[in-house]
Amino acid sequence: MAEKRIVYSICAMCTGRCPIMVEVEGGVIKHIWGNPHVFGAKSLCPRGAAGVAFEYDNERPQYPMIRDGERGSGKWRRVSWDEALDFIADKLKNIIENYGAKAIALSDRGGPHAELHKLFLRAIGSPNYFTHHATCSNSVHNAHMSVAGHARNTVGYDYKNCKYMVVFGRNLLESLVTGEARNVIEMINSGGKMVYIDVRWTYTASKAYKFFIINPGTDYALALALINVIVNQHLYDADFVNRYVVGLDYLRSFIQPYTPEWAEKETGIPAEEIRKIAYEAAEAKPSVIFHPGWMTAWYSQDFHFRRAIYILNALMGSYEAKGGIFISKGAGDAGYKIKQPTSIAPAPKEERCDGAGTKYPWIRGQWGILQVLPEVIETGEPYAVKAYIAMRHDPLADMPDPEVWIKAFDKLDLVVAIDVNWSWTSWYADVILPEATYLERTDNVIVRKGLKPQLALRQKVIDPRFDAKSRFQIFKALAERLGKGEYFPWKDEIEMVNWQLEGTGFTFEDFSKKGVIDLTKDPIWYDRNNLKFNTPSGKIEVYSEFLEKAGVPSLAPYERPEAPPDGMLRLISGKVAVHTQGRTTSNNPYLNELCPENYLYIHPEAAKKFGVKEGDLVEVSSNGASEKIRVRISPYVHPEVAFMLHGFGDPVPVRTRSFGKGASDVRLMKGKLKVTVGGNCPLFETFVKINRI
Ligand SMILES: Nc1nc2c(c(=O)[nH]1)N[C@H]1C(S)=C(S)[C@@H](COP(=O)(O)OP(=O)(O)OC[C@H]3O[C@@H](n4cnc5c(=O)[nH]c(N)nc54)[C@H](O)[C@@H]3O)O[C@H]1N2
Ligand SMILES: Nc1nc2c(c(=O)[nH]1)N[C@H]1C(S)=C(S)[C@@H](COP(=O)(O)OP(=O)(O)OC[C@H]3O[C@@H](n4cnc5c(=O)[nH]c(N)nc54)[C@H](O)[C@@H]3O)O[C@H]1N2
Ligand code: SF4
Ligand SMILES: [Mo]
């Protein structure tokens, strides 16, 4: 009989990092479940379950490769790991000698599993670490840092106890993380009310108590009108506000023009409904969440809109309240210290090349502003950047204007893609390093922050099926070749894990029992009478001296977003429950079958205007770029909007299932590698024409 095993680990089919339980029989993965010790149930999202299909798919890079033709020609030469690593190390040495280590940039998916890439950059002395957040949550993050001194993700939402939640385009049940979606459903099943605001219908809308289709990009007007009612009608939590909020008088005088009647004209949401939301939320306070979203951070004024949402939460007193927003507790709150690999090397002293933290003092350097990198490469300003490493990141597929990236790559001496799939970026790289998949490698220990912090570990379930290496092996080997081996002092991943756990009384073996290690039995809440925010004043800053000094108003006057010119629609994109982003899952055998291509959703009025019918193939064009896609007509899309799922129009021919299917949104978002005040690309300020083919 074949040997059966259960291995607990962490999913990586998206960045939700759900704890999983993997069933292995005779060395073959049979099924991936949710970890019942964490979730109380074994179900997972469809992508998590499709990890088995990903693992056993052969359509992925199977060995290291060096380019053997023009960039993008798809011509590769199989090489050994030694040859690939020597090739990269020689180029990097040369670049360091001529331009300094700061000429090496790396981008990744951020988060707690980025430790080893960050350590590598620190070891060589480059400050140019970037994340994907320029097209994800930069503006939400920077807004929260300025209001409360917290990152977007260092607070959590107590959905289960929440009585009233207002959600602005955060598609919680489709753009989902398994545990969060479950908690939202539990909230609704136990009588909590969700108001959902989007520019189109989504599954999240179907679970809402009220759903409004808002005029695109006008949510800031809605937030200001809600603040207007709450402040003028004294609906706020006066105790909390008096104790913790700096700038109430400033807020009061600022919001006077922004009445519900004014906001009705901007947003299309009736003034009476806006008043009702304010009163109903106040009735439920402090068990209220004004959800700040994850991204949708794609309009120019987004930073100020997100600040307004956090201010609404402060007015409701929902910080650290049951059913509100809680500050996520880490290992330290439970009396433990977990060592992080990055702590081994000092932070680089050189200035970043993107201006985060310097030219833009309020945009935090730890996530970076990746959209400026192509320009830095092209101009050599403020200094030369000569190498780029895409580590678990696909900027060509997930950032606007792939052509601009491809052109910038031509100025580089080295482009490396470290991936588990054929990403679009890997197709234009000089070297492809196949990473061992999440089921084939062990990563660093992470802390699952929350009310009950836990330790969790991604563990190797099976040996790599192909000639792949873990990120630990890759970055350690590169550091050693560059004479920086002392920064990777561990023999292997297990030694690193045990080093991280030193002094806690736990070891690697402890993860085998149930996959996670509980650091506390009971939820940890801070004393609401004694909260500290990490802002200069230690309080929630409606008025921020720091911003004002940097030339950014604490509260900015609302600006109406530019409307699509005549004969054009606004292009909006988003996720579907069965796919992850650009290239992680679109070629997955199971998931591709469920959702093989995207469609362009438009309103019947728009369909009439363009003379198109359901199912017609159309050419969508913008700014010289054009894509072909089929139309779907729905009355539940804003008449100004053309919506498509993100991540289609795959240009990489070796991905035979997804190649050429549907349209690419990023190709149409030309000219959007811009820096908004929050540090994001204003993707949804793209206008398109539609022509029937
Ligand atoms: N299945 C799946 N789940 C995922 C992911 C995935 O790729 N697939 N990715 C994960 C990641 S990294 C993230 S950041 C989150 C993203 O989570 P979300 O931010 O919820 O993601 P999107 O699907 O991009 O949803 C954006 C929504 O904003 C709406 N929208 C656009 N313009 C406006 C506007 O002006 N006002 C309002 N109110 N709404 C507007 C769009 O119609 C869309 O429904 O999802 C995470 N979960
Ligand atoms: N127009 C438009 N643009 C968008 C979005 C949108 O909705 N519309 N969504 C935005 C959002 S919210 C985000 S977060 C970004 C995401 O942008 P990305 O971070 O680029 O997206 P992913 O597809 O998750 O991952 C990128 C690459 O990581 C690889 N990968 C997956 N797992 C592993 C692994 O274990 N190891 C390694 N080495 N590689 C791995 C995948 O194969 C893929 O090539 O895209 C953003 N861009
Ligand atoms: S939400 Fe789904 S894909 Fe993302 S980590 Fe969780 S199970 Fe995996
Ligand atoms: Mo994201």
Side-chain angles (χ1 to χ4, degrees), residues 522-537:
D522 300 315
I524 305 172
W525 290 95
Y526 293 150
D527 175 6
R528 285 239 310 167
N529 294 323
N530 216 353
L531 295 178
K532 286 237 162 28
F533 296 91
N534 305 325
T535 52
S537 62

Side-chain angles (χ1 to χ4, degrees), residues 442-485:
T442 298
D443 287 338
N444 54 295
V445 175
I446 62 166
V447 180
R448 282 170 50 82
K449 291 184 180 174
L451 289 171
K452 288 165 74 169
Q454 292 175 317
L455 301 180
L457 185 67
R458 176 170 294 137
Q459 297 206 48
K460 180 166 155 174
V461 179
I462 56 169
D463 286 332
R465 288 186 54 233
F466 301 116
D467 187 14
K469 286 195 190 293
S470 68
R471 59 192 59 189
F472 175 92
Q473 293 169 316
I474 293 172
F475 286 103
K476 180 176 164 71
L478 280 176
E480 281 168 352
R481 279 170 170 75
L482 293 170
K484 302 288 178 187

